[in-house]
Amino acid sequence: MSHPLIELQNVTRQYTPEIPSGVKNVSVAVRKGGVTAIIGESGSGKSTLLKLIYGLLAPDEGDLLYEGAHIKGPHEKLIPGHDAMKMVSQDFSLNIYAKAYDNIAALLPNTDVPAKQQRTLEVMELLRIDHLRNKRAVDLSGGEQQRVAIARAVITRPEVILLDEPFSQVDAILKSQLRADIKSLSAQLGITIIMVTHDPADALSMADELWILKDGRLLESGAPKQLYYHPQNSYTARLLAGSNILNQKQAASVGIDTHSAEISIRPDQVVLGDDTSSENLFTVRQQLFKGFYYELLLENSMCRLRAISLNEITVGAPVSIIINGYTEYN
Ligand code: ADP
Ligand code: MG
């Protein structure tokens, strides 16, 4: 079997040794091609991990490999950053008074000017910003600047693009477009993409491989569907699916007899009924309109449950529930 494109071996990087910060003992591999998404709450170490992979930070312990070779840290290289990779950081690093076109074209040599022009326009079309070519970066919206920054990364045809929160400046409609565009960039150009996000919707829809980061540690990794349907940690269930986490006694109160310390139940696994003679009676405490469905907060004497319903329910009314599947944790 060929070795992975990128490999992290027990990588630790702590900013302040006294307080846990940064990342701790991360071992994981990236295969060539496709999208890897790193998801975690703010401060979980996502940007730190990306900087380590690119070579902007050196690990305190462990090693990082690219095609089996050590990735040089900032003190081992004149210009920090791996030559086969490009990183789009959260601040975009654009020349804000230059035109969008020049921001992108500047990365190509002047040896073949017609080719340079053609390549730049191609990449701008690919990212749907060709109509903005004569606007100065400073006059673009945050989302447009984000696309220019990604175009700058794409134009030199790196093997790997690292994206730190690529959707932070993009509103809902453009976001799904940019998601699709990044996905097809990876597929069309064969670029391996590693992206950081705190949004489960981004991670689930974009990633071929997903890493769950918590307090600097890699909790688990795998395909999005695997982690969504079969999480190994209740944290993963809560983060990706908004699952309800119940202890043994709470589980018993919804009719689940378990030896596990904790179980998780996704909102869509709570099925509502109108059997008021049922033992599983809950009260509807809150109902949020979400468009084509409602998000409900149900309560009994032992616990609260998040559930969904396609129909509007009366707040304060009793409902019976059936739990249609759950996951156990020890
Ligand atoms: P994320 O990108 O997931 O929000 P970061 O990787 O930026 O998280 O940061 C992880 C942790 O390390 C946070 O607790 C953060 O405060 C800390 N940290 C990040 N950069 C530095 C730094 N230069 N000096 C000290 N602590 C830092
Ligand atoms: Mg960050």
Side-chain angles (χ1 to χ4, degrees), residues 54-201:
Y54 189 39
L56 292 185
L57 283 176
D60 303 326
E61 288 163 46
D63 201 6
L64 295 100
L65 307 177
Y66 181 83
E67 290 187 328
H70 166 70
I71 296 176
K72 289 182 178 164
H75 303 298
E76 298 168 281
K77 210 166 167 289
L78 200 57
I79 302 167
H82 196 284
D83 294 334
M85 306 186 206
K86 277 280 184 299
M87 177 156 158
V88 182
S89 56
Q90 278 168 289
D91 60 13
F92 309 148
S93 328
L94 299 180
N95 178 353
I96 56 168
Y97 296 111
K99 289 177 183 174
Y101 176 92
D102 293 319
N103 262 289
I104 301 162
L107 289 149
L108 295 179
N110 273 323
T111 42
D112 184 349
V113 174
K116 175 174 174 163
Q117 247 172 23
Q118 194 194 336
R119 266 286 276 297
T120 305
L121 288 175
E122 265 172 25
V123 169
M124 293 188 86
E125 267 168 45
L126 200 62
L127 281 151
R128 301 168 203 272
I129 46 174
D130 43 316
H131 61 293
L132 303 171
R133 70 183 81 128
N134 291 319
K135 279 200 173 184
R136 295 185 308 168
V138 68
D139 297 327
L140 301 177
S141 73
E144 290 165 346
Q145 288 184 2
Q146 205 144 31
R147 282 174 184 263
V148 173
I150 295 171
R152 278 168 59 84
V154 170
I155 192 144
T156 56
R157 294 277 164 88
E159 293 290 325
V160 180
I161 293 184
L162 308 168
L163 297 169
D164 200 344
E165 308 264 3
F167 309 114
S168 56
Q169 300 286 326
V170 186
D171 39 44
I173 292 177
L174 293 174
K175 190 162 157 167
S176 58
Q177 186 67 67
L178 187 55
R179 273 185 194 148
D181 288 347
I182 291 177
K183 226 19 204 165
S184 65
L185 269 184
S186 157
Q188 276 179 37
L189 306 178
I191 299 178
T192 304
I193 290 178
I194 306 177
M195 56 170 269
V196 155
T197 180
H198 60 263
D199 183 346

Side-chain angles (χ1 to χ4, degrees), residues 35-327:
V35 179
T36 296
I38 307 172
I39 185 168
E41 292 169 56
S42 174
S44 59
K46 305 182 297 294
S47 295
T48 303
L49 205 53
L50 221 53
K51 288 176 192 164
L52 283 160
I53 293 171
Y54 189 39
L56 292 185
L57 283 176
D60 303 326
E61 288 163 46
D63 201 6
L64 295 100
L65 307 177
Y66 181 83
E67 290 187 328
H70 166 70
I71 296 176
K72 289 182 178 164
H75 303 298
E76 298 168 281
K77 210 166 167 289
L78 200 57
I79 302 167
H82 196 284
D83 294 334
M85 306 186 206
K86 277 280 184 299
M87 177 156 158
V88 182
S89 56
Q90 278 168 289
D91 60 13
F92 309 148
S93 328
L94 299 180
N95 178 353
I96 56 168
Y97 296 111
K99 289 177 183 174
Y101 176 92
D102 293 319
N103 262 289
I104 301 162
L107 289 149
L108 295 179
N110 273 323
T111 42
D112 184 349
V113 174
K116 175 174 174 163
Q117 247 172 23
Q118 194 194 336
R119 266 286 276 297
T120 305
L121 288 175
E122 265 172 25
V123 169
M124 293 188 86
E125 267 168 45
L126 200 62
L127 281 151
R128 301 168 203 272
I129 46 174
D130 43 316
H131 61 293
L132 303 171
R133 70 183 81 128
N134 291 319
K135 279 200 173 184
R136 295 185 308 168
V138 68
D139 297 327
L140 301 177
S141 73
E144 290 165 346
Q145 288 184 2
Q146 205 144 31
R147 282 174 184 263
V148 173
I150 295 171
R152 278 168 59 84
V154 170
I155 192 144
T156 56
R157 294 277 164 88
E159 293 290 325
V160 180
I161 293 184
L162 308 168
L163 297 169
D164 200 344
E165 308 264 3
F167 309 114
S168 56
Q169 300 286 326
V170 186
D171 39 44
I173 292 177
L174 293 174
K175 190 162 157 167
S176 58
Q177 186 67 67
L178 187 55
R179 273 185 194 148
D181 288 347
I182 291 177
K183 226 19 204 165
S184 65
L185 269 184
S186 157
Q188 276 179 37
L189 306 178
I191 299 178
T192 304
I193 290 178
I194 306 177
M195 56 170 269
V196 155
T197 180
H198 60 263
D199 183 346
D202 291 341
L204 290 170
S205 62
M206 298 271 312
D208 299 298
E209 184 78 8
L210 194 52
W211 303 353
I212 312 284
L213 215 58
K214 180 174 190 281
D215 300 332
R217 291 182 184 271
L218 181 69
L219 217 52
E220 58 185 305
S221 64
K225 277 186 190 166
Q226 176 68 26
L227 298 188
Y228 186 88
Y229 288 117
H230 309 288
Q232 287 183 5
N233 297 273
S234 58
Y235 181 82
T236 304
R238 206 152 45 85
L239 184 71
L240 293 185
S243 291
N244 301 287
I245 313 298
L246 274 59
N247 63 27
Q248 242 177 34
K249 280 187 177 164
Q250 292 170 327
S253 83
V254 298
I256 295 170
D257 184 19
T258 177
H259 294 292
S260 305
E262 269 185 345
I263 64 164
S264 71
I265 303 168
R266 293 194 313 274
D268 62 282
Q269 290 174 317
V270 181
V271 181
L272 303 184
D274 51 12
D275 174 14
T276 44
S277 68
S278 159
E279 289 183 3
N280 265 345
L281 275 189
F282 275 73
T283 307
V284 182
R285 283 289 171 231
Q286 198 180 63
Q287 173 165 249
L288 299 176
F289 177 55
K290 291 284 189 172
F292 62 87
Y293 69 98
Y294 294 86
E295 190 181 299
L296 308 178
L297 188 62
L298 312 177
E299 192 177 62
N300 70 5
S301 61
M302 295 295 293
C303 62
R304 293 176 149 201
L305 282 182
R306 263 159 44 80
I308 57 171
S309 170
L310 293 179
N311 307 310
E312 195 166 3
I313 311 276
T314 314
V315 175
V319 287
S320 62
I321 62 159
I322 296 163
I323 303 298
N324 185 15
Y326 58 93
T327 308

